[in-house]
Amino acid sequence: MKITVDYDRCEGIGMCESLAPHHFQLEDNGDLTVLQAEVAPEDVSDVEEAVASCPTGALRLQ
Amino acid sequence: MTAPGSAPDRGAPPDPATGRLVVVGASLAGLRAVESARKAGFAGSITLVGAEEHLPYDRPPLSKAHLGAGPGSEPAAPYLREEAHLREELGVDLLLGRPATALDTAARVVHVGGREVAYDAVVLATGSTARRLPGTDHLDGVHPLRTLDDARAVRRALEARARTVVVGAGFIGSEVASAARGRGLDVTVVEAQPTPLARAVGAELGAHVAAIHERHGTRLLTGVGVASVEGDGAGRVERVVLDDGTVRPADLVVVGIGVVPATGWLEGSGLRLDDGVVCDETLWAGAPGVWAAGDVVRWPNATMGETQRLENWTGAADQGAAAARNALDPAAAAAYATVPFFWSDWYDVRIQMIGSPVADEVLVVDGDPTAAGRWVALYRRGDRLIGALAVDAPAEIMKYRTQVMRGGSWDDALAHAAARRERAAGRAAGPAS
Ligand SMILES: Cc1cc2nc3c(=O)[nH]c(=O)nc-3n(C[C@H](O)[C@H](O)[C@H](O)COP(=O)(O)OP(=O)(O)OC[C@H]3O[C@@H](n4cnc5c(N)ncnc54)[C@H](O)[C@@H]3O)c2cc1C
C-alpha cells in the first residue's frame, strides 16, 4: 500500500507525524515530507490511523 | 459507576445484520461513529439525528479560511461528506433539522420531534454550544461563532467592514480578531480574566500567546468585563461598554466566551451529567447500550491521569470512532485514552498544544516568547513530560506528543529539546542554501 498526499489540502498540522513518525515528518516551515510512501503490512494500522486523524483530509493510503 | 473488580453490564451487542444503531449529533464525532460502525462490518440500520439542517460540516475552517478576505463571494460550506455518500455508500438514515428532545433508556428510544427512534445502541454526540452574553439576544450584529450560520453572519459583517469587538480572548475569538485584522479592520478583544488562555495553556504562557495580538495591531484589553452591549434604537448593535467605563464603538460583536456541553436534552434521562455526559474509560455512559463521543463527553483519560472534557477536533474524531466500535462489541469494549491536541491559527502564526497544561513547571526550551518568531515550551508534572506548546514550530510539537503518549520522562524531553536546538544551530551555521 502506498501513501499519497494532497498538498493543496495539507496545512502542515502534523497529527500524521505523531501517529506514524516513520512515514511522516513536518519540516520547520510546516511542509510535510513523506519519509516512506510504501507502507509495510505491519505499519498499515498506524498509517491508517494517521490518515483518519488528518484534520484536512489530505492523506490517502491505497 | 463500576464497582472495582466487577465488569459492568454495558448492554448486549446490536445484531450485526439487523441491529439498530442511532447516533445523535450530526457533526464530526457523529460522522466518525457512523463511519467506524460500517468499517467494523456493522450491516444493521444507522440513523443519524442532527439538530441543524446542514449535512455534517467541519468547524475549524469557520473561524479561519471562511472568514478570510478572498476574491469573490462566500467560500463553499466545509461539508465533511456528500449527502449521496452518507445515504448510499454508508447507508445512513439522515434525520436532520430537528433536535432530539429526550432519551428513554428504559424503552431504548430517542425522541425526535413527534417520533420515537428505537435503538439497540446509541452514541450521544451532541457536542457543545456557545455560551451567550446575557441581555444581547435581541441585538443584530452580536454573534457567537459555533455554527455555519454563525460563520456566514460574521463573514457578512466583516465584508461590510464592521468595527469589530471580540468578547473573550480564547482561541475562536482570537481567530476572528485575526481575520478582521487581516481585512484591515479596527479590532478590540476584551478579556475578563487578567490573563487570557490560562485554562488552555496556563497563565504564564497565556500572556505570551496573547501578546501575538498586540504585535498584529489588535487592541487587547484584559482584566475588564463587559458592562453592557448597546443598540441604536433600531435593534442594531452600536457600542460595547466595559466595566471600567471604556466605550468601544462596534458594528459587530463576536462572543467567544466558551462553550457548554449540549446535555440539556438529556435531563431526566437518568444519565450522569456533570459538565458533560459522564462516561467510564470506554466512553460508556452508564445505561445499557448508551455511549458518548466528542465535546459532550467527560471521561477518565488514563494517559493524562485526568478526568477531562475535550473541546478539540482530534478528540471528537477519535472518540466518535472509538465509541461506535465499543457500542457494537460491548463485551470487548476498549478503554479510550489520548494525548489531547489542538491547533489554532492567528494572523500568520500557528499555535499548537499537546497534552495538559496542569503542571508543576513550565519551561521555554526553544526561542523567545517575548519576541516575534518561533518558540517551544514544555510542561512538567512530577518527573514526567505532560504537555508542550509550540508557536510556529510545526516540526517540534508532535515529537513531544509521541513522548507524552509513551509516558516519557522530563529528563528525556529536555535532552531531546537540547538535541533539537543543536540541530537548529548546526543548520543556521551550515552552508547557506
Ligand atoms: C469556529 C470553531 C473553530 C474551531 N477550531 C478548532 C481548531 O482549530 N482546532 C481544534 O482542534 N478544534 C477546533 N474547534 C473545535 C472542534 O471543532 C470541536 O471540538 C468539534 O467540532 C467537536 O465535535 P462534536 O461532533 O463533538 O460536536 P459539535 O461539532 O459541537 O457538533 C454537535 C452537533 O450536534 C448537534 N446537536 C446538539 N444538540 C442536539 C440534539 N439535541 N439533537 C440532535 N443534534 C444535536 C449540533 O447541532 C451539532 O451539529 C473549533 C470549533 C469552532 C466552533
Side-chain angles (χ1 to χ4, degrees), chain B residues 17-318:
Chain B
T18 61
R20 296 159 303 180
L21 174 67
V22 175
V23 177
V24 187
S27 182
L28 178 61
L31 174 67
R32 288 300 176 98
V34 167
E35 291 183 333
S36 108
R38 289 299 185 218
K39 191 162 182 244
F42 178 68
S45 73
I46 301 183
T47 307
L48 181 61
V49 182
E52 296 176 69
E53 297 278 355
H54 304 291
L55 293 169
Y57 58 84
D58 204 23
R59 288 177 208 275
L62 298 181
S63 50
K64 303 180 182 71
H66 204 86
L67 300 184
S73 53
E74 164 154 355
Y79 292 122
L80 289 163
R81 300 290 179 268
E82 285 172 11
E83 181 162 359
H85 177 84
L86 293 169
R87 287 191 194 275
E88 284 146 38
E89 266 157 75
L90 292 171
V92 177
D93 247 329
L94 291 172
L95 271 189
L96 301 178
R98 243 176 307 165
T101 50
L103 173 73
D104 184 335
T105 58
R108 301 213 186 178
V109 294
V110 177
H111 292 258
V112 185
R115 273 178 73 171
E116 293 186 359
V117 184
Y119 66 84
D120 300 306
V122 62
V123 176
L124 314 176
T126 49
S128 50
T129 50
R131 224 180 242 130
R132 291 180 173 269
L133 205 55
T136 59
D137 282 351
H138 63 290
L139 282 177
D140 285 342
V142 181
H143 300 281
L145 183 41
R146 184 74 204 171
T147 66
L148 180 56
D149 298 345
D150 295 335
R152 287 177 168 161
V154 170
R155 182 186 162 84
R156 271 196 302 277
L158 296 176
E159 288 275 292
R161 309 206 58 75
R163 293 165 300 173
T164 303
V165 173
V166 174
V167 181
F171 286 104
I172 290 173
S174 293
E175 290 186 342
V176 175
S178 309
R181 275 306 294 156
R183 291 164 174 266
L185 305 179
D186 180 76
V187 190
T188 305
V189 178
V190 182
E191 169 59 54
Q193 299 298 316
T195 315
L197 301 169
R199 196 174 59 96
V201 304
E204 196 181 330
L205 298 182
H208 291 314
V209 173
I212 295 170
H213 282 309
E214 278 136 349
R215 262 179 237 129
H216 288 82
T218 294
R219 197 178 297 105
L220 173 64
L221 308 174
T222 56
V224 58
V226 170
S228 62
V229 179
E230 297 177 357
D232 63 1
R236 272 217 64 83
V237 67
E238 198 171 51
R239 61 178 166 264
V240 178
V241 182
L242 306 183
D243 284 341
D244 63 2
T246 309
V247 177
R248 295 299 318 165
D251 311 302
L252 169 67
V253 176
V254 176
V255 181
I257 53 175
V259 295
V260 288
T263 54
W265 70 287
L266 295 168
E267 299 287 344
S269 65
L271 295 184
R272 230 177 101 206
L273 307 175
D274 177 13
D275 184 30
V277 176
V278 178
C279 292
D280 73 1
E281 69 282 3
T282 68
L283 304 175
W284 180 59
V290 183
W291 306 76
D295 275 20
V296 80
V297 166
R298 172 174 293 283
W299 100 116
N301 180 359
T303 303
M304 304 308 297
E306 290 175 49
T307 292
Q308 297 183 312
R309 190 171 67 75
L310 304 181
E311 296 171 0
N312 62 54
W313 193 97
T314 301
D318 287 355

